[in-house]
Every structure is written in structure tokens, then in C-alpha cells.
Amino acid sequence: MKLRLDKFLADMGLGTRSEVKKAIRKGLAQVNAQTIREPEYKVDTEADQVLFGGQPAAYREFEYYMLNKPAGVISATEDTKERCVVDLIESRMRKDLFPVGRLDKDTEGLLLITNDGDLAHRLLSPKKHVDKVYFARIRGRVTEEDVECFRQGVDIGEKKRTLPSELRILEAGEISEIELTIREGKFHQVKRMFQAAGKEVLYLKRLRMGPLVLDESLKPGEYRTLNTQEMDILC
């Protein structure tokens, strides 16, 4: 792929477009060992070797990270007051990463961080009905009646009931443990579904989104790049 040198460098987070333009004109960029002072110079991202400030600058069109989102971090790219999930990806090269979908601030678990808009659309499009699987601890005894209610769709105060979902009881008691599969992503959906059943979500963790399954070796706040097998099933 051919790119302007200033866009190449800016995409890799090495400065704003205006900053890298100034740096290029000062002679801080080299392509194939030749100093380039024209920001509009076209770089072959596959073949050319680029140095910026004497350091190699490799180009990566897309990045894909699996994050085990911790509680207390918001699903956003930037915020003036809160820490965002993108801030946790310290090894990122791209400056345009974003979370695919969102998890509530107090919710943990699987979150895909990327800059691939097409993939995000495939996973988030309401028409696709992509499965999202959650583990939760619930205040109150979850019953087979709840299972059937969730299977039929739950009235959470909107025009339409939720789509049918699959509720599996792992442990029933004063504090119940469940696994829930939903196929949409309404605001606070899981919490609202259990609230409609007269219960309260105490802890919520996403385990799977579509074919992508959380790597349980990742502690909350840890991340890794997607492996080849994961990329194959997603793309």
C-alpha cells in the first residue's frame, strides 16, 4: 500500500500530522536510507524501510488486541476524567484504536480493541445477532421460571422485549451464579433483565463475543494480540 510519508508517521502515533510534517522538513525522516524532506512523499508500506528520528518506524494497517477489561475503566477511546480501555494497551502502535462495543464501567471480561471498522461492524450489527456470553453473580435465587422468561424475551421497559436469550443456572441460592447468552447489546441489558425478574446483578463478566473467547490466562487489565487461529475465525 502506498501512503504519504506524513500520514504513515502520524498513523503510527509518532505525532500529529502537522508535527510530523515539520519534523520531515527538518530532515528527521529517512526512507531506504535516504533523507526525505517532502511530507507528500509516497511510501510503500510493504517494501520501504522508514526511520524517524533515527528509529525504525514499521507500518501496521490494523491491530487486534484481546483485553480482559477490569472494573473501574470505561469503554472509550479518551476521557478527561476517567481511565479508558485504550489506555491499557501500552504496546499499541496505532493511534486510532477503539473498543468493539462497550462494557459497563463495573463489568469485567472480554473486550476486543482494534482499528478495523469492518470487523467491528460485523460483530456489532444488530442484524447479525452475534452471541455474547456472560457469567454473573445474582442476588436472589434464579429459577427455571426465569430461564423460561429469558427464553421468551424480557420486558425491560422498551417498545420491544429483548430477543430470546439462553439462561443457564450454575448455582442457585441467595447468591446465584449463572451464564447468560444474549444476541443484542441494549444499554445495561443484562442488569435490566435481572432487575425485571426482581433480582440484582452483583458481578458481571463477558466470556465470549461471537467466536472470540476470553483467554482465561489474562488477568483483569491484561491483554494480548489475537493469535492466528483467532484472526482466521474472525476474518
Side-chain angles (χ1 to χ4, degrees):
M1 179 171 61
K2 292 276 190 175
L3 276 184
R4 284 175 56 116
L5 179 57
D6 57 347
K7 178 171 173 54
F8 177 110
L9 297 172
D11 281 354
M12 292 299 97
L14 296 173
T16 65
R17 197 75 172 263
S18 61
E19 288 171 343
V20 297
K21 282 182 178 179
K22 291 177 182 178
I24 292 168
R25 293 189 177 109
K26 289 180 180 179
L28 296 180
Q30 290 185 317
V31 180
N32 300 326
Q34 178 184 355
T35 298
I36 304 296
R37 297 178 183 271
E38 299 79 32
E40 66 276 12
Y41 181 89
K42 291 296 180 69
V43 176
D44 185 332
T45 60
E46 301 294 329
D48 291 339
Q49 294 184 334
V50 179
L51 295 180
F52 185 65
Q55 299 298 316
Y59 189 81
R60 191 176 297 173
E61 183 176 7
F62 296 116
E63 290 188 282
Y64 304 88
Y65 296 96
M66 176 189 295
L67 170 69
N68 186 352
K69 178 193 170 298
V73 180
I74 64 171
S75 298
T77 56
E78 59 181 0
D79 190 271
T80 57
K81 297 180 180 179
E82 304 278 1
R83 194 176 190 197
C84 302
V85 290
V86 172
D87 297 331
L88 301 176
I89 312 299
E90 296 179 350
S91 64
R92 67 186 185 275
M93 294 177 64
R94 302 283 314 197
K95 65 174 184 178
D96 53 354
L97 298 182
F98 58 87
V100 178
R102 67 184 304 277
L103 294 176
D104 296 338
K105 183 177 178 179
D106 61 350
T107 299
E108 298 182 1
L110 175 64
L111 197 58
L112 175 62
I113 309 291
T114 185
N115 62 317
D116 188 338
D118 289 340
L119 173 60
H121 177 73
R122 293 198 300 273
L123 290 173
L124 297 176
S125 173
K127 296 180 180 179
K128 301 293 186 181
H129 300 317
V130 172
D131 285 356
K132 303 171 187 68
V133 181
Y134 294 83
F135 167 81
R137 294 190 184 94
I138 309 297
R139 189 189 306 279
R141 182 177 293 275
V142 180
T143 67
E144 290 301 324
E145 290 181 358
D146 295 322
V147 173
E148 181 59 28
C149 178
F150 278 41
R151 185 181 295 123
Q152 297 297 324
V154 181
D155 181 356
I156 59 173
E158 300 189 358
K159 291 182 179 180
K160 294 183 179 180
R161 290 175 175 266
T162 63
L163 292 177
S165 57
E166 298 168 18
L167 174 59
R168 188 160 68 95
I169 302 171
L170 305 177
E171 183 175 333
E174 291 185 8
I175 304 297
S176 299
E177 295 188 353
I178 62 91
E179 189 174 279
L180 177 66
T181 302
I182 62 175
R183 295 176 178 85
E184 53 195 335
K186 296 180 182 293
F187 183 67
H188 292 326
Q189 181 171 339
V190 176
K191 296 174 182 177
R192 293 164 69 193
M193 290 172 74
F194 279 102
Q195 185 178 32
K199 299 173 177 66
E200 179 187 3
V201 174
L202 300 176
Y203 172 81
L204 188 61
K205 178 180 182 180
R206 184 156 68 190
L207 306 177
R208 179 165 67 85
M209 183 177 186
L212 189 62
V213 179
L214 177 65
D215 183 340
E216 289 292 350
S217 71
L218 294 175
K219 298 176 182 178
E222 292 184 340
Y223 66 93
R224 63 166 174 79
T225 57
L226 296 191
N227 59 38
T228 302
Q229 182 178 3
E230 291 162 343
M231 289 301 304
D232 286 344
I233 61 175
L234 284 176
C235 302

